[in-house]
């Protein structure tokens, strides 16, 4: 259990996001405030259009809120310029996408090591870390496969390995199993949860699916850009491995 007086890793303070399209205004997030503790696994649960991706993108620094503040440790994410955000993301954040976003012409290993290339890590280290990341998601031996030569579940595991390879503090996952069948969904969720625990990361997950949300410690229901319910399930410690 997290201590009440522990300083949160992430502090979101009254953020609001309004998109303008011509004369029209879309309130994607109305007024969201919350703390996320280091090591916590949080899921935002809500129907399509409720503001889940908008929230994720703002905490990950991809978009700026119209109003409000986002702090990760003592870094004011809402104030960073593009270069600062890029550097912060490279060092601290891993992102898993619903549609995998792998580069089709690259092998699994090449895809996984992309973040390390951006960080200027030398080739030998990149390859070693990339192979270890693939192994951690159960894809040892798949290093030279292209995305088209892998199943959806395998492609998403490459996506997870790519998110993990730089040892981020925070892992974001936006509908990570949205394109997968139920059996593969379970496999992928179990890999995510296991690696989050193993690497001591903080997980922010987004889904419209209650069964996915149940992998998290805390389920926040989001509706029309507001958190309308908070369900603390407590940390689900691993069963014996
Ligand atoms: P979710 O991920 O829960 O499906 P989103 O965060 O993508 O929801 O969207 C929340 C609301 O904001 C929706 O009404 C959506 O149409 C709108 N929205 C999201 N992104 C944009 C954008 N770039 N421009 C205009 N409206 C947007
Ligand atoms: Mg979305």
């Amino acid at each position: 259990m997290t201590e009440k007086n522990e300083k949160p890793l992430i502090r979101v303070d009254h953020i609001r996001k309004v998109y303008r399209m011509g004369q029209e205004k879309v309130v994607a997030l109305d007024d969201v405030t919350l703390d996320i503790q280091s090591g916590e696994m949080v899921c935002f649960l809500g129907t399509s259009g409720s503001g889940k991706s908008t929230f994720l993108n703002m905490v990950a620094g991809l978009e700026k809120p119209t109003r409000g503040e986002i702090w990760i440790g003592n870094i004011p994410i809402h104030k960073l310029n593009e270069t600062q955000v890029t550097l912060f993301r490279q060092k601290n954040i891993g992102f898993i996408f619903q549609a995998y976003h792998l580069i089709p012409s690259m092998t699994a290993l090449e895809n996984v090591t992309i973040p390390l290339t951006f960080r200027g890590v030398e080739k030998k280290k990149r390859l070693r870390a990339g192979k270890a990341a693939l192994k951690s998601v159960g894809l040892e031996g798949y290093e030279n496969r292209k995305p088209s030569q892998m199943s959806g579940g395998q492609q998403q595991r490459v996506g997870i390995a790519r998110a993990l390879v730089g040892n981020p503090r925070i892992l974001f996952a936006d509908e990570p199993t949205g394109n997968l069948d139920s059996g593969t969904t379970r496999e992928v969720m179990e890999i995510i949860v296991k690696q989050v625990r193993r690497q001591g990361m903080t997980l922010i997950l987004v889904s419209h699916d209650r069964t996915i949300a149940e992998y998290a410690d805390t389920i926040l229901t989001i509706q029309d850009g507001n958190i309308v319910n908070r369900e603390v399930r407590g940390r689900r410690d691993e069963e014996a491995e």
Side-chain angles (χ1 to χ4, degrees):
M1 284 288 194
T2 40
E3 298 282 337
K4 272 254 158 51
N5 54 5
E6 199 177 305
K7 196 164 183 274
L9 175 62
I10 300 171
R11 283 197 294 130
V12 173
D13 192 12
H14 293 291
I15 57 168
R16 178 174 175 83
K17 180 67 175 180
V18 180
Y19 291 107
R20 274 168 220 286
M21 299 198 298
Q23 300 284 42
E24 222 182 307
K25 276 197 208 169
V26 180
V27 180
L29 280 184
D30 180 27
D31 182 1
V32 173
T33 294
L34 82 152
D35 288 347
I36 299 173
Q37 307 294 329
S38 179
E40 195 175 356
M41 298 204 294
V42 174
C43 183
F44 284 80
L45 176 64
T47 54
S48 174
S50 55
K52 306 183 297 295
S53 295
T54 302
F55 176 82
L56 218 59
N57 291 340
M58 285 197 293
V59 178
L62 295 171
E63 290 183 71
K64 289 270 184 283
T66 308
R67 208 154 77 199
E69 300 189 348
I70 299 157
W71 293 80
I72 300 184
N74 29 21
I75 312 277
I77 301 300
H78 57 288
K79 281 191 184 160
L80 301 184
N81 65 33
E82 226 168 282
T83 312
Q84 292 169 322
V85 165
T86 304
L87 289 174
F88 181 83
R89 288 173 55 82
Q90 283 177 4
K91 267 185 76 179
N92 298 286
I93 286 174
F95 213 108
I96 303 170
F97 305 91
Q98 173 172 355
Y100 326 133
H101 291 213
L102 303 179
I103 296 178
S105 60
M106 289 188 170
T107 64
L109 185 57
E110 287 166 345
N111 268 288
V112 169
T113 54
I114 289 170
L116 301 181
T117 309
F118 284 131
R119 280 168 70 169
V121 176
E122 61 160 292
K123 189 168 180 187
K124 229 171 125 183
K125 277 192 184 163
R126 280 202 315 262
L127 295 180
R128 199 185 318 131
K131 283 179 188 164
L134 279 171
K135 191 176 174 192
S136 76
V137 297
L139 286 181
E140 202 176 11
Y142 286 74
E143 289 80 4
N144 295 319
R145 295 275 189 110
K146 298 272 175 71
S148 63
Q149 300 167 322
M150 290 185 283
S151 69
Q154 288 167 341
Q155 289 181 61
Q156 188 57 303
R157 283 195 267 159
V158 174
I160 296 168
R162 179 186 54 196
L164 297 174
V165 75
N167 257 313
R169 290 163 75 192
I170 309 168
L171 185 63
F172 290 84
D174 193 346
E175 305 270 10
T177 61
N179 291 3
L180 304 174
D181 63 60
S182 59
T184 314
T185 289
R186 245 192 89 183
E187 266 174 46
V188 162
M189 284 312 300
E190 278 167 10
I191 288 169
I192 291 175
V193 167
K194 185 167 155 193
Q195 294 305 322
V196 165
R197 292 281 188 241
R198 187 168 282 171
Q199 294 184 213
M201 288 180 287
T202 303
L203 175 68
I204 305 183
L205 174 69
V206 151
S207 183
H208 65 278
D209 182 345
R210 173 87 206 172
T211 58
I212 299 300
E214 285 177 355
Y215 285 91
D217 307 320
T218 305
I219 301 175
L220 299 161
T221 306
I222 182 164
Q223 196 178 305
D224 298 331
N226 286 300
I227 295 172
V228 295
N229 188 44
R230 181 189 178 88
E231 187 183 335
V232 180
R233 301 159 57 77
R235 192 176 172 129
R236 302 185 324 141
D237 283 314
E238 287 136 295
E239 284 103 63
E241 295 214 1

